[in-house]
Amino acid sequence: MAERAAYAAQAEHSRGRRCAEPPPAGRTEFQRDRDRIIHSTAFRRLEYKTQVFVNHEGDLFRTRLTHSLEVAQIGRAIARSLGLDQDLVEAIALAHDLGHTPFGHTGQDALNACMQDHGGFEHNLQSLRVVDKLEERYAEFDGLNLTFETREGILKHCSLPNAKLLGEIGERFLNKQQPTLEAQVADLADAIAYNNHDVDDGLRSGLIELDQLSHVAVFARHLDEVKQRYPQLAGRRVIHETVRRMINTLITDLVAQSTKNIQHAHPHTLDEVRAAPPLIGFSDSIHTEQRELKHFLRTQLYQHYRVNRMSGKARRIIKALFEAFMDDPKLLPPQYQDKVRQDQARTIADYIAGMTDRYAMKEYRRLFSVEEL
Ligand code: MG
């Protein structure tokens, strides 16, 4: 295990919380962030939100909760090898999807379309909004009052107009600076996790076949290795042995290439990390392979007609909910009534974004079905 590097984020030198608090006892500032995220309502809801498959389609598919745990695990392993702060990576990983709407990417696109005339909807920005404003748990502040470093890691992307509205947390997008290496690790751990578990879930669902995947270089290479080593192996173990090798290759490559990048840029402090180009990254050959895999998943899985059918339903549900509440805000539950008078569209977007897949479907039935109350 590497020693903590000089360019790692340091909890004791955090840029702090928006609302000053006494230092935590028995844990670091980043560990406190992680603990607060785990105890939040939005975190528990991740169990019933999905990325590709809708929650009720089967108990074996990843949810946003298991996805976030996988991102945290992969992120910690990378951080450990690079001498970075594992707790910060974990906090960012566990929080990175808190702002996601029901029904995965389709839900987010649909809500963004509904919000076009009201400032739009970006899921990264919404994750930040959840931890800064929407969680209601503490007496002295809204949200979770997380450290600057965790918050900047959560805000992976942000449009320039929104960055201008965000104060210090938006500055790096305007100054073209990088976040901490821990944030960069969490971002790539996210990609490693979803590319691989979507392969696994895609095969499990039967939407993609092993035959098709054998034409994708990164999968074929690792599948051959498994077949050579275990000629008798069949069924799910073949897939699992292949996927775990792919994850391992990616982590190993990421650590090796990032170490080279760091050695080359030679940052001594976090400020030098911020001013450098992104230092966490894959080698060129792995990057190319990953692009091929992503393209495969996009065309064969994410746009599979059965996924498209579900996406179509999801889009209609989100749109119908949004329009019904905009039309008559009195349909909203009582705890939203004060807020909706101050900012109607954003309050409705917050309500819808907070829904789980099944809650959104139930709310749709409650609003539009005469049999249901
Ligand atoms: Mg993610």
Side-chain angles (χ1 to χ4, degrees), residues 350-364:
D350 285 340
Y351 179 47
I352 293 174
M355 293 177 185
T356 60
D357 296 1
R358 60 184 187 177
Y359 185 93
M361 290 187 279
K362 185 144 206 223
E363 193 69 338
Y364 180 85

Side-chain angles (χ1 to χ4, degrees), residues 43-58:
F43 185 70
R44 283 192 297 282
R45 286 186 186 144
L46 293 177
E47 185 175 1
Y48 302 104
K49 292 192 182 196
T50 45
Q51 307 212 117
V52 180
F53 299 91
V54 170
N55 189 249
H56 67 271
E57 286 184 359

